[in-house]
Amino acid sequence: MPSLSRRLVAEAFGTFGLVFFGASAVVMSNAFGNNYGLLGIALTHAIVLSIMVTATMHISGGHLNPAISTGLLVARRIDAVTWISYVIAQLVGAVLAGFCMKWLLPEAAGRALSYGTPLIANSVTFWQATAIEGVITFFLVSSVFGTIVADNAPKVGGFGVGLSLLFIILFAGPLTGGSANPARAFGPALVSGV
C-alpha cells in the first residue's frame, strides 16, 4: 500500500480535477454564448470523475469525496486516521480548485455563477434539498461499492462511478446542483463566498 502522504496527494489531485473541471463547466456553459446546458455539465462531471477515480484508485482508492470516505469508514474499509486525512485532503484539493478557477476564469462569468457552487432552486425547500442530496449521495456511494470496493466488482475502473454521476446531475442538477459531494460544493462556495 502506498504511503499515507502519497495517498493524500492522490486524493487532493483527484478532487482538484473533479472540482476544477466540473465547476468550470458550469461557469463556461453560460459564458461567451456556449450554452451546452445541463447535459454538457453532467457529461463533463461524469467524464472527469471517471478519469480521476481511475487515475487515483490504485494509489488511494479514488474516493475524491468525503461521503465516499465516510461510507468506507462505516463499512470498516478504512480507519479513522485515514478517513480524517482523506477528508482534509479532499477539501484542500477542492479549495485549491476554487482559487484556480477564480484566477483563470473570466471574473464576470465566475462571479455570476458563484464559480459553479451548487445552489438550491427556489421551488425546493431546504428539507427537500437535504433529502434529494441524501438519496443521490446514497446512489453514488452504492456505485462505488458495487463497481470498485466489492471483491467481485467488474474491472471497469471509475467508469461506473462516473456514469452514476451523469444520471445524478441530470436529475438533481436543476434542483440542488446535484453535487453528491461535500468537497465539490465546498471549494467553489468558499471562493465565491456563497
Side-chain angles (χ1 to χ4, degrees):
M1 174 177 278
S3 67
L4 181 59
S5 60
R6 186 167 179 231
R7 289 181 282 147
L8 297 180
V9 169
E11 285 296 307
F13 168 74
T15 306
F16 176 95
L18 172 63
V19 174
F20 180 79
F21 290 106
S24 292
V26 172
V27 173
M28 297 311 294
S29 174
N30 294 299
F32 310 113
N34 291 332
N35 197 21
Y36 40 82
L38 182 62
L39 181 59
I41 291 167
L43 280 170
T44 301
H45 279 83
I47 293 167
V48 73
L49 183 62
S50 296
I51 293 169
M52 291 293 100
V53 168
T54 302
T56 59
M57 64 190 290
H58 69 285
I59 300 169
S60 65
H63 301 190
L64 316 183
N65 181 337
I68 303 295
S69 297
T70 301
L72 291 166
L73 174 70
V74 170
R76 297 186 178 151
R77 296 290 188 133
I78 61 172
D79 60 37
V81 172
T82 301
W83 172 75
I84 192 68
S85 300
Y86 273 31
V87 169
I88 291 169
Q90 292 156 358
L91 293 175
V92 166
V95 169
L96 290 174
F99 280 113
C100 197
M101 288 182 346
K102 189 171 186 174
W103 180 54
L104 294 173
L105 298 181
E107 184 180 359
R111 279 186 299 131
L113 290 161
S114 304
Y115 291 96
T117 302
L119 300 173
I120 299 171
N122 291 334
S123 59
V124 176
T125 68
F126 172 79
W127 295 111
Q128 287 173 317
T130 301
I132 290 166
E133 285 293 317
V135 168
I136 65 175
T137 302
F138 173 79
F139 275 92
L140 184 64
V141 172
S142 296
S143 74
V144 170
F145 274 85
T147 64
I148 294 174
V149 176
D151 294 332
N152 59 351
K155 303 297 182 213
V156 294
F159 185 67
V161 180
L163 279 179
S164 67
L165 191 57
L166 178 65
F167 70 75
I168 284 169
I169 292 174
L170 288 174
F171 159 69
L175 303 172
T176 65
S179 74
N181 183 338
R184 165 62 184 84
F186 181 74
L190 181 72
V191 168
S192 66
V194 173

